[in-house]
Amino acid sequence: MLCDVSSFASHEVLSDSQVERGNRLLLYLHCCLAGHSYPYGTLPPEQLAVIPEQVYRCITSLKGKDGTSATANYPYLRLLLLFDAQQVNPIFCRMAVFFLFYDNRKGVCTFIYCGERKFVDLIKSYMRNHEHEGIFPLIRQILRADLSEQELEEISEVVHELVPQLVTVNPKESAHLVIDCLPDYLNSIRPHADAERAACFPLLKAAFDIKRERQENFLQMDEDVDEQLFGILFEGIVKENPEDLDGILQVLLLYWLPTGSRNDFCLNLAAAAGCANSTILLMEARGQLDNAFEVLFEQINATKGDQQRFVYWLDKGLSFCSCHSSFSNSREWLLRIMRAVTGAVAEENTTSDAFTFL
């Protein structure tokens, strides 16, 4: 088409056929640069990533398509201006924008999709092409744009469906996105099977961490929902079984104790995992003081042979009795602790005497 138009563009008077052929070239170029099929329709995604750039490079080539087909520089730009400078202005305007994205197909596609308000297609294009670095700011920018109600509904629905995939890319960025832009997403989580609960764990772990960093003590402003989601988080940590599991759970509970102690779910998990500190903390929060003391007392007796750990649990036992003095007095907790201490001292003396005798 360029060669055809070049054969008559310099004529002072053009025939109707020549005008029609020249206009067809301009329409073709405009469609390609806009990401459209010629003469109408939309380019498929795989072509959208390359056709506009190829056309741009062709038009702005220094010596023509093969690099040697012209004596003057920028022959195709000169040709378009020569044919019809006024009609070619819209094409030049679009090319000027393309210049900003030169050698950047992602930028070209973004420009085209946004210009056509095809936000859903743009998001899917990023995911399809594994543009993981830019997908989160892109979604944020789109959701905060001046969208119609229908656009917002369509985009939100697509992003909802993509969240599990986004979590595999970056759990914390996904959690930020959900908390800030999709407040109803967490409320929709209703996993039952173990695999479903495990899949939700990375997102919830990041979400609870973010809320704590922001010094907020809620996730969804709904205690029942928060209770369920915290249970999934707690269960996930227990199943991970990291080093110092009890210490990790205790730190978590010190901030989220009102949520974690609303039922016995976390308590049962902590007890089954042998996490004494966390178990005591949850029992105490749920008013199960007798059970909490029994766990403490078991630890005191179990650590008699380890002076450091024995002193640690003895101190916790005495502090517990002090905090609940009325229960302590009525149930003789302090007396039981003193007997345990006396027994431990007697055992140590017996052991020392045996070594002395030997």
Side-chain angles (χ1 to χ4, degrees):
M1 294 175 75
L2 286 167
C3 292
D4 178 43
V5 174
S6 67
S7 66
F8 58 77
S10 60
H11 296 177
E12 291 187 10
V13 179
L14 302 178
S15 67
D16 290 343
S17 173
Q18 290 170 335
V19 171
E20 189 273 333
R21 283 145 57 193
N23 288 338
R24 189 187 310 158
L25 169 63
L26 297 181
L27 177 60
Y28 174 79
L29 294 176
H30 187 276
C31 287
C32 290
L33 291 171
H36 296 163
S37 294
Y38 174 80
Y40 52 82
T42 304
L43 291 172
E46 61 274 12
Q47 292 184 8
L48 181 61
V50 294
I51 294 297
E53 182 180 356
Q54 288 178 349
V55 171
Y56 171 78
R57 288 176 179 271
C58 176
I59 296 174
T60 59
S61 59
L62 182 64
K63 293 292 185 179
K65 289 186 292 185
D66 59 6
T68 60
S69 59
T71 55
N73 292 340
Y74 303 108
Y76 301 136
L77 290 176
R78 292 173 181 272
L79 172 63
L80 295 176
L81 288 170
L82 183 62
F83 172 71
D84 192 327
Q86 185 174 359
Q87 287 197 62
V88 87
N89 275 338
I91 295 177
F92 280 7
C93 289
R94 186 169 289 275
M95 288 173 59
V97 176
F98 267 59
F99 177 76
L100 299 175
F101 301 109
Y102 194 71
D103 279 337
N104 186 345
R105 293 180 182 178
K106 180 174 65 176
V108 171
C109 291
T110 300
F111 169 73
I112 292 174
Y113 278 130
C114 288
E116 300 292 330
R117 299 189 72 81
K118 295 180 179 179
F119 301 116
V120 170
D121 291 339
L122 176 58
I123 292 171
K124 290 182 177 179
S125 173
Y126 266 63
M127 294 301 294
R128 182 171 53 250
N129 295 308
H130 305 289
E131 297 290 351
H132 295 157
E133 182 179 347
I135 186 63
F136 294 102
L138 173 72
I139 294 175
R140 283 177 173 273
Q141 184 177 1
I142 291 175
L143 288 173
R144 291 171 177 172
D146 185 16
L147 303 173
S148 67
E149 185 175 340
Q150 181 179 354
E151 286 175 330
L152 180 59
E153 183 178 347
E154 291 175 353
I155 294 166
S156 297
E157 182 179 348
V158 169
V159 177
H160 268 246
E161 295 173 356
L162 288 175
V163 167
Q165 188 176 349
L166 292 172
V167 171
T168 64
V169 174
N170 190 318
K172 190 156 190 176
E173 284 290 343
S174 300
H176 274 293
L177 180 65
V178 165
I179 291 171
D180 296 336
C181 303
L182 302 169
D184 59 331
Y185 180 83
L186 293 175
N187 194 43
S188 68
I189 295 179
R190 292 290 186 273
H192 298 290
D194 289 346
E196 293 175 343
R197 295 173 71 87
C200 294
F201 171 69
L203 176 66
L204 293 176
K205 185 175 185 297
F208 276 101
D209 285 345
I210 290 168
K211 286 291 187 175
R212 182 179 177 183
E213 290 168 3
R214 296 179 180 180
Q215 297 184 338
E216 297 175 356
N217 57 3
F218 61 88
L219 199 62
Q220 282 295 103
M221 296 294 289
D222 184 320
E223 291 184 347
D224 293 334
V225 173
D226 283 3
E227 173 190 319
Q228 180 199 24
L229 299 182
F230 185 82
I232 297 172
L233 168 65
F234 199 91
E235 179 184 50
I237 296 175
V238 171
K239 287 185 175 181
E240 280 189 331
N241 194 26
E243 187 177 352
D244 191 23
L245 173 61
D246 195 14
I248 292 172
L249 294 180
Q250 191 175 15
V251 170
L252 180 70
L253 288 169
L254 287 174
Y255 190 84
W256 294 103
L257 187 58
T259 302
S261 62
R262 292 190 77 231
N263 58 30
D264 284 339
F265 182 77
C266 294
L267 170 57
N268 292 336
L269 286 171
C275 298
N277 279 302
S278 303
T279 301
I280 293 166
L281 191 60
L282 286 164
M283 285 179 171
E284 188 175 12
R286 290 190 56 73
Q288 300 177 17
L289 299 182
D290 284 316
N291 292 340
F293 177 77
E294 291 303 327
V295 175
L296 272 167
F297 194 67
E298 286 176 9
Q299 294 300 316
I300 292 172
N301 283 323
T303 56
K304 286 181 180 179
D306 185 331
Q307 183 176 358
Q308 184 175 357
R309 294 184 63 210
F310 179 76
V311 171
Y312 170 81
W313 285 108
L314 176 61
D315 181 65
K316 286 187 71 73
L318 294 174
S319 298
F320 186 84
C321 291
S322 176
C323 290
H324 306 285
S325 56
S326 59
F327 276 87
S328 173
N329 293 332
S330 63
R331 288 163 174 75
E332 299 184 341
W333 289 347
L334 278 175
L335 180 60
R336 292 176 63 186
I337 290 176
M338 290 303 103
R339 286 173 179 169
V341 172
T342 302
V345 172
E347 289 178 12
E348 185 176 351
N349 290 338
T350 301
T351 303
S352 298
D353 291 343
F355 276 108
T356 301
F357 177 76
L358 291 173

